[in-house]
Amino acid sequence: MHCPALECPMDVVDLTFSARDDLHLNIPRAKTPTAWITMGFHEDLNQAAVIALDGMLKLMREIYGYGRKEALALASLVVDLNITQIVNGVKGVHAVLPDGAIM
């Protein structure tokens, strides 16, 4: 089943994009003023969640130096998974790590 996306009008949007030659990313990630976000997209919602969470674990390893098991244990406490897209046959999940959640 395919369904159209609903666009949302905005008055003011301030975006900053940076190209980094030192990062080799295989999924999108973003830094907002309040959190880090990794994104997973797949036709299967569970796979989209796995992709987003795996990206967050890699990010936590890069930023904090944790091993995968440590990152997974911490992520189970501080990372939220949000469904962000279900249109056009592709599901989207964003993993969100709020600033200050890990000290």
Side-chain angles (χ1 to χ4, degrees):
M1 176 175 97
H2 294 283
C3 56
L6 177 63
E7 303 301 326
C8 127
M10 296 180 195
D11 292 327
V12 177
V13 177
D14 182 15
L15 301 172
T16 303
F17 295 93
S18 301
R20 303 260 316 256
D21 293 334
D22 61 324
L23 294 177
H24 303 284
L25 304 176
N26 59 355
I27 65 166
R29 69 169 63 155
K31 176 67 178 108
T32 72
T34 60
W36 275 102
I37 301 172
T38 56
M39 305 164 208
F41 301 96
H42 197 276
E43 285 115 14
D44 179 85
L45 185 60
N46 291 329
Q47 281 300 112
V50 167
I51 293 166
L53 181 58
D54 187 57
M56 182 56 70
L57 297 178
K58 289 177 183 174
L59 177 69
M60 291 170 69
R61 291 168 62 192
E62 290 172 21
I63 292 174
Y64 301 107
Y66 295 129
R68 185 171 174 83
K69 288 181 182 179
E70 293 171 301
L72 183 57
L74 283 169
S76 70
L77 299 172
V78 297
V79 173
D80 288 322
L81 297 179
N82 299 307
I83 298 171
T84 55
Q85 176 176 307
I86 57 170
V87 297
N88 299 329
V90 176
K91 280 63 171 187
V93 176
H94 290 182
V96 180
L97 174 63
D99 289 346
I102 298 175
M103 297 289 185

